[in-house]
Amino acid sequence: MNAHAPLTAFENERGLEIRQERGQRAVFCGLTGIVWLHRKIQDAFFLVVGSRTCAHLIQSAAGVMIFAEPRFATAIMDERDLAGLADMNDELDAVVGRLVARRPEIKLLFLVGSCPSEVIKLDLSRAAQRLSRSLAPDVRVLSYSGSGIETTFTQGEDACLASLVPEMPAEAANAETSLLVVGALADVVEDQFARIFSEMGIGPVRFLPARRAGAMPPVGENTRYLLAQPFLADTARALEERGATRLAAPFPLGSEGTTGWLKAAADAFGVAAGRFEAATAPGLRRAEQALAPYRAMLTQRRVFFFPDSQLEIPLARFLSREMGAKLVEVGTPYLHRGHLDREMALLPRGTRIVEGQSLDDQMDRCRQARPDLTVCGLGLANPLEAEGLATKWSIELLFTPIQGYDQAGDLAELFARPLVRRTRLEV
Amino acid sequence: MQLTVWTYEGPPHIGAMRVATAMRGLHYVLHAPQGDTYADLLFTMIERRDARPPVTYTTFQARDLGSDTAAIFKDAVAAAYERFRPEAMIVGASCTAELIQDDPGGLAKALALPIPVIPLDLPAYQKKENWGASETFYRLVRTLCGPKAETVGKAGRRPSCNILGPTALGFRHRDDLVEIRTLLDALGVDVNVVAPLGASPADLGRLGEADFNVVLYPEIARAAGQHLQKTFGQPMVETVPIGVAATIRFVEEVAAVAGVDPAPVLSGAPSRLPWYSRSVDSTYLTGKRVFVFGDATHALAAAQIAATELGFKVVGLGSYAREFAREIRAEAALHGIEATITDDYLEVEAAIQASAAELVLGTQMERHIAKRLGLPCAVISAPIHVQDFPARHSPQMGFEGANVLFDTWVHPLMMGLEEHLLGMFREDSEFHADAAPSHLGPGHQPLPPPSAGEGGPRVSEGRERGAPVPERSPPLPPAPQAPSPAEGGGSSGSAHSTWAPDAEKELKKIPFFVRGKARANTERFARERALPLITVETLYDAKAHFGR
């Protein structure tokens, strides 16, 4: 309820109804990004500086993963720490010292800010500089904020990647034009994209984040970058400050999105039409084959998205254009109009997009609309199911490989499964 | 600052949520930043509740901090009242809101709502989840329990009691309640109010009408029970009825307080545990080394049951509940061990390794530690995961609870007869010498313990050499100290003594499932005496030395 009354600013862009709403928000904070980021950068460690609540959140989000010697932890502040700031920096240094001694394989340490550390204005960027100096050359220390007051769920990845950008080596001024794919993707998806780019003759192609801390890609005036995820506003800005140029594209979800995304790179690198088609044809054919069985299950189904990850608009585009679904409401925690321009152009006229949230009001709208499928977080899913609404819990869309041609069928299946299940259960 | 990977307890406002979610007609407005709503999914996913917890979060963001977060809070309280029309509200701050120092109690009071609004002061940087639940329940009871009820003559009516303690997200609270209600009913005692689970604020107003209180979970309800004792003079039964003996004690205490006869309830064989435990198949349970860890209520009960009702040997006992450290230490002393009072799971892991336990009874965390160490394990306490909110009836308390405990704890150990037969036929050609004597299956390879780098027991070493690993207790003398590195048949401990060929041959005559331990004991015996050569004599000298 962080506004006295919901704002109802309407806007017309390509016939879309875009509305902003403020109020109670049922969303994760940016700390949650750690759960998938730590698996991507294999020699990085994420140390949250926060409260017991932060530690509890991460363990709830990480579930069973927490026991596989995870590369994340929380330095829990206690009352003693809150007494004086000087003491707190010493405490932090001691915690980091213990951690580095225990985990000598760690090359990159992220100090991750939380709501409590932001509110008391503990300067983690200074702490990171200080610790970087004392731990050099073995460990590099960076900082970013994953706090709920500043970041929503996937924005934690944005903040993390943005903190990496100044660390990227400078590309030589006369370097050949290179392609940078930005956003953590499953390794299997990354490899598929690398193969397709290579068949199109695009190169060099690099990925941010890299799989190892010491192998972050170079960046400079000759870098063209493609966002693989829609939630990377700050990372994009930081890359542009280093001279890189964004290639406008839809996001690589579904067969159409993937083609549009690859085409943006092909056009920028002057790939001939015939070569582009040759490189994408097998993927397109397989995607079409994989999607076909789910189309019958999803066509004309009315879908309602609660805000969660900023993936909602590309997912809505995929469901409506490729699967024939109808969009009741597309909630998103934050709408980057520039990055989502190509996506919004593909949405059907009249689509209602709601940026932000007033939870109880949105639940009222959802109940009233009685959609066939509601995409929402785990706090809402079972309560809505109990009210008779079929739901798809959204966090799975971050942990499952869904991008690219060869995952298009898996993506459709994620939405079809709850509907199929409903038809099977007779009790 | 404390370095933490896993926490046994959440922050105190989670405890308050457990109380609010357990109740009806109560709403909690929590001043908290965006993101703290993650706690909802503990209730909707782990406990599989079919409704959102009755909690409104202010979910303020950075841009709100410059303006008036206090106004946001007031608006949230007003809007929640309008929408949910609760009978009473609780208001408070999470850890971040505690730092920005808005005053939830004062702000809510200024709204002058026509219902009781109870402010909670939960110090997030000092206290934890169970304390938060206890404090919240105590505040609710203190505010709402009403004036002292008129003393109605006892004649002509059944005695009545309140049941205090069950909450949302409680380990088996739902089913424990069923058992306790059944026991009380059989005794002829009426239940006045159960709280917090299922109670409304109005129900709390009727607490004074009962003759006495039953406190099921002291970490949550002791404070409230003490308050009622002081206010209404209601006696308090605080014996936790987990296990057969404790349940009998509980029934006798309730009967004494209520002035009824316990005999009909205790007659016959109300639990199958005593017979199952006496049946010969359970003989192999004798002296099994068990490590117990959990919240105070369940750890204390489990240690007593393990030792006196199943015949285990308690080789480790601990709890993350510092509030109950004294009780835990006293119980540990009865077993001749030192208690492990810690909320650091790495310390628990080290203690489990050092104890050379054969069965671990603990929380979700100990389940994972045990899995890593290749040890059998059963869950006895929160924190727990979704599988420990089962669909079937599975109480811990009462006589049926004792049946459940017997099955749950014995199941991960192999049944005695099965173990015996496997051992007898082990050297027959059908049986692979390397197959683990365990239900875990032939593919199971226990992971090397994580911090065993410096000479800790590395269970997998013996496996690589093809020697069987004694994962179960053999009916031979257990090593009194921590297992030597050579346990499992490794040669690292025999650096100073070699086996004479005839001694080696003699060793092979010992049944495989105790051979590893015999080898280890013999080598240690030789090492301690600096014997360069292990002969048949040494083998039997060692057996005699380590024998019972």
Side-chain angles (χ1 to χ4, degrees):
Chain A
M1 306 259 141
N2 53 11
H4 306 182
L7 305 175
T8 47
F10 290 88
E11 197 177 319
N12 249 328
E13 239 174 56
R14 299 193 170 108
L16 305 178
E17 179 196 322
I18 301 179
R19 170 193 298 203
Q20 286 183 325
E21 193 171 50
R22 294 187 67 187
Q24 184 182 196
R25 293 165 72 109
V27 288
F28 281 123
C29 65
L31 294 182
T32 325
I34 292 171
V35 178
W36 65 86
L37 280 170
H38 87 283
R39 301 190 46 87
K40 189 70 204 175
I41 314 175
Q42 288 159 18
D43 49 4
F45 194 100
F46 294 78
L47 180 66
V48 178
V49 182
S51 63
R52 180 168 301 281
T53 310
C54 306
H56 196 234
L57 158 85
I58 303 227
Q59 92 185 28
S60 305
V64 89
M65 214 192 280
I66 200 138
F67 293 97
E69 278 287 317
R71 281 176 283 102
F72 52 82
T74 309
I76 294 184
M77 305 188 297
D78 53 36
E79 215 168 35
R80 228 163 27 89
D81 299 312
L82 298 173
L85 285 181
D87 177 41
M88 193 114 147
N89 282 311
D90 294 344
E91 289 275 316
L92 182 60
D93 291 3
V95 164
V96 169
R98 276 204 301 279
L99 183 66
V100 170
R102 197 179 140 79
R103 305 294 296 272
E105 75 280 14
I106 299 306
K107 296 284 177 279
L108 175 61
L109 175 67
F110 288 102
L111 301 178
V112 188
S114 65
C115 298
S117 74
E118 299 289 332
V119 166
I120 63 165
K121 301 201 185 321
L122 178 64
D123 193 339
L124 288 183
S125 66
R126 287 243 316 262
Q129 285 172 12
R130 179 179 70 237
L131 285 161
S132 259
R133 278 197 301 275
S134 65
L135 296 172
D138 299 333
V139 186
R140 185 92 188 87
V141 186
L142 297 176
S143 73
Y144 71 89
S145 170
S147 72
I149 57 177
E150 286 165 326
T151 58
T152 304
F153 193 30
T154 48
Q155 284 178 323
E157 174 173 333
D158 187 28
C160 173
L161 299 191
S163 80
L164 277 173
V165 173
E167 299 294 301
M168 293 164 75
E171 207 172 37
N174 60 351
E176 55 180 327
T177 308
S178 65
L179 179 65
L180 183 65
V181 176
V182 186
L185 293 168
D187 288 355
V188 57
V189 176
E190 209 173 279
D191 294 344
Q192 288 167 7
F193 285 149
R195 280 198 296 274
I196 296 176
F197 286 129
S198 146
E199 276 162 35
M200 290 195 286
I202 296 178
V205 180
R206 304 182 181 107
F207 294 85
L208 180 71
R211 297 180 197 184
R212 306 209 76 86
M216 290 302 157
V219 64
E221 298 283 343
N222 299 316
T223 305
R224 305 287 172 269
Y225 73 93
L226 259 184
L227 293 179
Q229 301 280 18
F231 42 73
L232 299 172
D234 289 349
T235 308
R237 199 175 310 123
L239 285 168
E240 281 171 21
E241 278 166 20
R242 304 248 349 229
T245 311
R246 182 174 72 95
L247 303 177
F251 292 91
L253 296 169
S255 142
E256 183 184 32
T258 303
T259 303
W261 189 75
L262 293 169
K263 187 78 168 60
D267 290 349
F269 285 77
V271 176
R275 192 163 188 192
F276 178 76
E277 271 158 39
T280 52
L284 268 169
R285 185 178 43 74
R286 287 196 301 268
E288 179 48 39
Q289 197 182 351
L291 286 172
Y294 300 112
R295 203 162 282 138
M297 298 172 204
L298 289 166
T299 191
Q300 296 300 314
R301 298 292 195 144
R302 297 166 59 252
V303 184
F304 192 111
F305 283 89
F306 277 81
D308 189 51
S309 63
Q310 299 182 47
L311 282 166
E312 294 83 4
I313 288 175
L315 290 170
R317 180 264 302 157
F318 162 72
L319 286 178
S320 77
R321 289 178 61 95
E322 295 191 49
M323 308 313 285
K326 300 282 171 208
L327 304 174
V328 180
E329 174 168 324
V330 184
T332 179
Y334 175 69
L335 177 60
H336 192 296
R337 276 146 226 254
H339 291 176
L340 284 153
D341 184 58
R342 297 291 172 101
E343 289 287 351
M344 290 199 288
L346 296 172
L347 284 177
R349 286 182 70 83
T351 300
R352 186 207 295 161
I353 298 175
V354 178
E355 181 183 14
Q357 186 173 34
S358 172
L359 177 62
D360 288 315
D361 295 323
Q362 193 167 37
M363 287 184 82
D364 285 346
R365 291 198 299 274
C366 181
R367 288 174 180 129
Q368 197 175 3
R370 307 247 4 128
D372 298 309
L373 186 66
T374 302
V375 185
C376 62
L378 290 173
L380 303 181
N382 271 337
L384 289 175
E385 290 278 352
E387 294 181 22
L389 296 173
T391 62
K392 165 73 217 119
W393 44 285
S394 49
I395 191 170
E396 194 175 13
L397 296 159
L398 267 298
F399 293 96
T400 312
I402 55 171
Q403 292 85 2
Y405 291 126
D406 289 309
Q407 282 66 241
D410 304 343
L411 178 58
E413 199 271 343
L414 287 179
F415 293 104
R417 192 187 307 163
L419 298 172
V420 172
R421 183 161 184 76
R422 296 208 136 216
T423 64
R424 286 186 183 223
L425 300 181
E426 292 179 8
V427 289
Chain B
M1 241 177 232
Q2 187 201 354
L3 183 59
T4 315
V5 179
W6 173 278
T7 71
Y8 282 96
E9 290 183 77
H13 73 260
I14 300 287
M17 281 185 73
R18 288 177 55 189
V19 172
T21 306
M23 289 180 62
R24 299 174 292 120
L26 180 74
H27 201 85
Y28 184 15
V29 180
L30 181 62
H31 205 13
Q34 166 177 276
D36 278 7
T37 51
Y38 81 87
D40 280 1
L41 66 89
L42 303 173
F43 298 91
T44 61
M45 294 304 293
I46 296 182
E47 201 178 6
R48 291 187 221 248
R49 287 199 163 246
D50 61 2
R52 290 190 59 233
V55 181
T56 295
Y57 305 80
T58 54
T59 58
F60 56 83
Q61 293 173 268
R63 63 183 173 200
D64 303 316
L65 289 178
S67 62
D68 195 358
T69 49
I72 290 174
F73 181 77
K74 273 173 79 169
D75 291 347
V77 174
Y81 174 71
E82 278 307 312
R83 176 176 282 271
F84 299 105
R85 294 285 168 162
E87 287 176 37
M89 280 174 118
I90 49 179
V91 297
S94 80
C95 51
T96 304
E98 189 182 330
L99 296 172
I100 61 176
Q101 295 187 336
D102 291 331
D103 169 21
L107 292 168
K109 199 175 169 194
L111 289 171
L113 295 178
I115 52 165
V117 178
I118 301 149
L120 298 176
D121 188 14
L122 305 176
Y125 298 91
Q126 287 177 347
K127 303 291 190 181
K128 292 184 280 193
E129 178 177 332
N130 280 334
W131 187 90
S134 171
E135 173 71 7
T136 303
F137 187 47
Y138 165 71
R139 291 278 154 204
L140 280 166
V141 167
R142 209 178 85 149
T143 311
L144 301 173
C145 70
K148 186 168 167 55
E150 281 176 45
T151 22
V152 190
K154 277 196 176 186
R157 69 169 180 86
R158 291 180 13 140
S160 76
C161 71
N162 302 311
I163 300 178
L164 306 180
T167 63
L169 265 192
F171 176 61
R172 308 294 166 86
H173 287 194
R174 175 196 73 193
D175 299 343
D176 284 349
L177 190 54
V178 173
E179 288 309 306
I180 298 307
R181 278 179 174 281
T182 308
L183 280 179
L184 291 169
D185 189 51
L187 280 168
V189 175
D190 284 338
V191 175
N192 178 49
V193 171
V194 176
L197 194 60
S200 68
D203 291 334
L204 297 188
R206 299 190 293 109
L207 284 169
E209 293 169 17
D211 297 316
F212 64 99
N213 290 308
V214 168
V215 172
L216 285 189
Y217 307 99
E219 46 269 84
I220 290 162
R222 178 181 285 173
Q226 284 168 340
H227 176 75
L228 292 170
Q229 191 168 33
K230 211 169 69 190
T231 311
F232 299 130
Q234 289 169 332
M236 181 162 93
V237 173
E238 218 195 352
T239 295
V240 176
I242 302 181
V244 175
T247 301
I248 291 171
R249 220 159 51 235
F250 171 82
V251 168
E252 286 169 349
E253 280 177 39
V254 168
V257 173
V260 297
D261 181 11
V265 174
L266 300 179
S267 67
S271 170
R272 290 182 200 98
L273 182 145
W275 166 241
Y276 270 50
S277 207
R278 279 170 203 281
S279 86
V280 291
D281 187 65
S282 297
T283 312
Y284 81 109
L285 298 174
T286 313
K288 284 263 188 213
R289 302 169 62 82
V290 58
F291 190 99
V292 180
F293 194 87
D295 65 21
T297 298
H298 291 91
L300 287 170
Q304 287 160 13
I305 297 164
T308 62
E309 299 183 20
L310 290 171
F312 292 152
K313 178 173 172 56
V314 177
V315 295
L317 172 62
S319 176
Y320 54 82
R322 287 182 192 280
E323 296 91 334
F324 290 77
R326 197 158 15 144
E327 278 119 305
I328 300 276
R329 288 207 173 93
E331 179 68 27
L334 294 179
H335 301 274
I337 50 177
E338 189 147 338
T340 308
I341 309 291
T342 180
D343 57 1
D344 181 346
Y345 83 99
L346 293 172
E347 272 183 47
V348 178
E349 185 173 272
I352 290 176
Q353 279 185 275
S355 74
E358 296 165 290
L359 173 67
V360 178
L361 302 176
T363 73
Q364 191 61 212
M365 227 97 55
E366 284 69 47
R367 200 171 67 83
H368 284 272
I369 292 170
K371 197 192 297 180
R372 228 181 155 101
L373 300 177
L375 291 172
C377 176
V379 170
I380 57 157
S381 157
I384 41 187
H385 205 54
V386 62
Q387 69 269 31
D388 277 302
F389 287 96
R392 66 178 185 277
H393 182 58
S394 20
Q396 304 286 290
M397 290 185 173
F399 295 121
E400 179 60 19
N403 297 339
V404 169
L405 291 180
F406 182 91
D407 290 345
T408 311
W409 297 7
V410 170
H411 187 96
L413 301 166
M414 207 175 357
M415 301 302 287
L417 188 61
E418 192 178 334
E419 180 168 300
H420 178 69
L421 291 177
L422 256 187
M424 283 226 320
F425 301 138
R426 189 48 165 267
E427 311 247 303
D428 288 4
S429 58
E430 300 95 308
F431 288 93
H432 191 264
D434 246 354
S438 155
H439 67 289
L440 295 170
H444 174 74
Q445 284 278 357
L447 286 174
S451 53
E454 316 82 33
R458 295 193 69 94
V459 190
S460 58
E461 273 176 20
R463 190 62 58 92
E464 281 152 21
R465 292 186 174 83
V469 178
E471 288 181 8
R472 291 284 91 56
S473 169
L476 244 211
Q481 289 99 32
S484 83
E487 179 160 356
S491 61
S492 51
S494 55
H496 304 295
S497 10
T498 41
W499 285 77
D502 56 340
E504 191 92 56
K505 250 168 110 181
E506 195 72 14
L507 181 69
K508 292 228 169 85
K509 295 176 191 163
I510 296 174
F512 83 96
F513 54 94
V514 288
R515 200 182 301 146
K517 196 152 266 179
R519 177 190 283 274
N521 283 347
T522 309
E523 287 172 357
R524 188 163 85 218
F525 182 83
R527 198 165 53 245
E528 281 164 10
R529 282 155 193 76
L531 304 176
L533 187 71
I534 295 173
T535 62
V536 177
E537 287 293 292
T538 324
L539 183 63
Y540 287 112
D541 285 347
K543 181 168 190 274
H545 176 77
F546 288 114
R548 282 171 217 242

